[in-house]
Amino acid sequence: MRTQVGIVGAGPAGLLLAHLLYQQGIESVVIETQSRKHVEERVRAGVLEQGTVDLLNATGVGERMRREGLVHHGIELRFDRRGHRMDLHDLTGGRAITVYAQHEVVKDLIQARLTYRGPLVFEVEAVRIEGFDGDTPGIHYRSGGEECEIACDYIAGCDGFHGICRPSVPAGILRVYEKIYPFGWLGILAEAKPASDELIYANHERGFALLSMRTPQVSRLYLQCRPDENVAEWPDERIWEELQKRLETQDGFRLNEGPIFQKGVTAMRSFVTEPMQYGRLFLAGDAAHIVPPTGAKGLNLAVADVRILAHALARRYRDGAAEPLERYSAICLRRVWRAQHISWWMTSLLHRFEGGDGFEYRRQLAELDQVTTSRAAATVLAENYTGIPFELPGEKL
Ligand SMILES: Cc1cc2nc3c(=O)[nH]c(=O)nc-3n(C[C@H](O)[C@H](O)[C@H](O)COP(=O)(O)OP(=O)(O)OC[C@H]3O[C@@H](n4cnc5c(N)ncnc54)[C@H](O)[C@@H]3O)c2cc1C
């Protein structure tokens, strides 16, 4: 098989890249190790920044999101058993976030891809890439028992943190920056009407908790836990009891409880690969970087990467311009590090750190006091939370 861009991975990065390329008249083939059902049901992110929403709408895949997504104009920071609403809309001159599950975005992108008959191969095995340090990149894999090869001009490594593309780059080329946090998140989905219309980020002596939602009937809730926490030790009653404690307020706030139908533990890390390209291989999304989920940036960063990559590839094919592709990594990394900073900052502001004499907790309360009483401090949070602009100052794509 011959194509222009071979895309490894059908997560949000790979599928959106294929869609953006299609709109520019550029051919691509997407391959994915998992089944369609698996990627369409995988529970992950749920908060879309304004820029992500605008891009999905502008490229014709936002119809269901507009109908079913929940637009939020604010979030709550809860500490010392009191809630403080951050009016994102007012602080940013009209920006908002949309709660719409990542797997719904994935479903919409797969549907679009199938509608225009773009090649998308699920359940491939033994994926291998080669030739990207020269002029003959190729992707090899097995599908339905047959050995297959895609010859392409460029390879997009959109295969997530555990994919094969990043490790395929020869040793000594990539530099990795990494920070592992001493905690994780225990996340649940429950058939329970969310007890708040907006997300609540709670700093509590017992640890961080987050109230989020997926639909008006389904709550998404998280508890800070050990990175190696055993979910089996968390029967539903224990989860609800702990959530109620961490989200309590002086005026008697109570969560709505209901059957829990999904539980999982996510370890937290910050991770950046530099550069995000080598020869004709371009890494995008989680294949190149990971953020702790506190700032809700992972999915949005993946979207930003592929928007830049699609633009650079379009310039290459349309005008023969090499420079945008050469600058791909540099342009992405500036935003990636901004997102790393905000994600690390929100994590360190809200989580309980073990040990010490309580200094960290008192410091967090002082910082939260400032964020919720100073318009300047609140604006920094609101601007970053609703989304770092696609084009940063001084940068023209
Ligand atoms: C619990 C949790 C909560 C999160 N919450 C948020 C949030 O609120 N907001 C937010 O913005 N982000 C959030 N994130 C992060 C977000 O889900 C990721 O950043 C996002 O999935 C990145 O998309 P991606 O396409 O780069 O990678 P992935 O979604 O990981 O997709 C990579 C794809 O490549 C496939 N693949 C892997 N190896 C191969 C191979 N060898 N060949 C072919 N295919 C392969 C995988 O099966 C997968 O389908 C959260 C993540 C988790 C785990």
Side-chain angles (χ1 to χ4, degrees):
M1 198 173 348
R2 161 97 214 147
T3 192
Q4 289 175 301
V5 182
I7 301 177
V8 185
L15 290 166
L16 182 59
L17 176 63
H19 180 63
L20 297 176
L21 293 177
Y22 168 76
Q23 295 209 314
Q24 300 280 348
I26 299 168
E27 285 173 14
S28 66
V29 176
V30 185
I31 60 160
E32 164 64 49
T33 44
Q34 300 289 345
S35 66
R36 178 178 176 186
K37 182 172 172 0
H38 179 93
V39 298
E40 288 192 340
E41 291 177 358
R42 192 166 42 195
V43 175
R44 303 285 278 279
V47 175
L48 307 184
E49 293 177 353
Q50 182 74 58
T52 299
V53 168
D54 294 346
L55 182 66
L56 296 176
N57 279 329
T59 57
V61 282
E63 196 267 325
R64 203 162 61 90
M65 173 187 68
R66 281 196 300 283
R67 237 181 319 120
E68 297 176 15
L70 308 171
V71 178
H72 288 191
H73 290 142
I75 55 169
E76 181 181 318
L77 294 181
R78 187 170 286 187
F79 56 96
D80 222 5
R81 295 168 181 72
R82 284 196 193 86
H84 304 259
R85 182 167 190 266
M86 312 298 291
D87 190 334
L88 303 174
H89 197 252
D90 173 55
L91 289 162
T92 59
R95 292 164 72 81
I97 53 160
T98 296
V99 174
Y100 186 63
Q102 174 171 322
H103 64 272
E104 302 297 348
V105 175
V106 163
K107 274 186 210 162
D108 296 342
L109 288 166
I110 289 176
Q111 190 52 53
R113 181 90 183 149
L114 297 179
T115 303
Y116 53 72
R117 298 180 198 283
L120 170 55
V121 191
F122 289 102
E123 298 182 68
V124 302
E125 295 172 307
V127 181
R128 189 160 58 75
I129 58 173
E130 60 182 33
F132 49 90
D133 49 351
D135 293 336
T136 53
I139 304 175
H140 301 258
Y141 59 98
R142 199 176 311 127
S143 176
E146 270 183 47
E147 299 298 328
C148 309
E149 182 188 349
I150 303 170
C152 47
D153 300 334
Y154 300 99
I155 298 174
C158 302
D159 50 349
F161 185 66
H162 300 288
I164 54 99
C165 288
R166 191 182 64 249
S168 301
V169 176
I173 303 285
L174 303 180
R175 177 161 181 190
V176 164
Y177 299 86
E178 188 167 25
K179 181 176 176 62
I180 310 275
Y181 297 84
F183 40 72
W185 279 12
L186 170 60
I188 62 157
L189 280 168
E191 282 166 30
K193 182 176 159 36
S196 161
D197 290 338
E198 295 179 340
L199 275 71
I200 302 175
Y201 286 83
N203 174 312
H204 191 275
E205 297 97 311
R206 296 178 68 86
F208 169 74
L210 171 61
L211 179 159
S212 182
M213 63 288 294
R214 284 297 177 262
T215 71
Q217 296 79 34
V218 174
S219 293
R220 177 83 167 135
L221 294 143
Y222 297 95
L223 285 170
Q224 177 183 348
C225 62
R226 292 195 318 265
D228 57 350
E229 195 79 50
N230 180 2
V231 182
E233 291 170 14
W234 285 85
D236 296 6
E237 311 73 56
R238 183 178 173 205
I239 291 177
W240 286 118
E241 194 186 326
E242 192 62 29
L243 282 166
Q244 296 286 11
K245 281 186 190 150
R246 295 192 194 181
L247 284 155
E248 69 189 350
T249 60
Q250 290 182 343
D251 50 8
F253 174 89
R254 292 289 296 171
L255 286 166
N256 299 317
E257 299 185 12
I260 295 175
F261 60 92
Q262 199 265 349
K263 284 180 202 175
V265 170
T266 313
M268 309 242 298
R269 74 170 78 222
S270 304
F271 175 94
V272 182
T273 308
E274 290 193 8
M276 289 168 54
Q277 65 194 85
Y278 175 64
R280 288 171 173 255
L281 170 66
F282 297 85
L283 302 174
D286 279 16
H289 40 70
I290 296 282
V291 283
T294 327
K297 291 279 166 266
L299 166 61
N300 295 295
L301 272 183
V303 167
D305 286 353
V306 297
R307 180 181 175 275
I308 292 163
L309 184 54
H311 175 84
L313 286 165
R315 290 285 314 280
R316 180 79 186 117
Y317 283 112
R318 199 180 52 224
D319 322 324
E323 198 236 344
L325 269 183
E326 285 161 8
R327 289 175 55 227
Y328 165 73
S329 175
I331 292 179
C332 290
L333 283 169
R334 189 168 165 208
R335 153 193 288 276
V336 167
W337 277 109
R338 291 267 302 259
Q340 288 292 354
H341 172 252
I342 189 76
S343 304
W344 163 84
W345 175 70
M346 285 185 70
T347 302
S348 59
L349 182 65
L350 293 163
H351 290 73
R352 186 100 180 95
F353 288 80
E354 292 300 330
D357 56 3
F359 178 91
E360 280 303 321
Y361 181 55
R362 307 304 295 176
R363 180 196 62 75
Q364 288 173 337
L365 293 183
E367 198 167 1
L368 284 161
D369 184 22
Q370 184 187 40
V371 170
T372 52
T373 53
S374 152
R375 189 170 173 93
T379 304
V380 172
L381 172 68
E383 283 182 350
N384 281 289
Y385 193 78
T386 54
I388 303 158
F390 280 136
E391 284 181 30
L392 289 169
E395 216 157 60
K396 193 92 194 91
L397 283 187

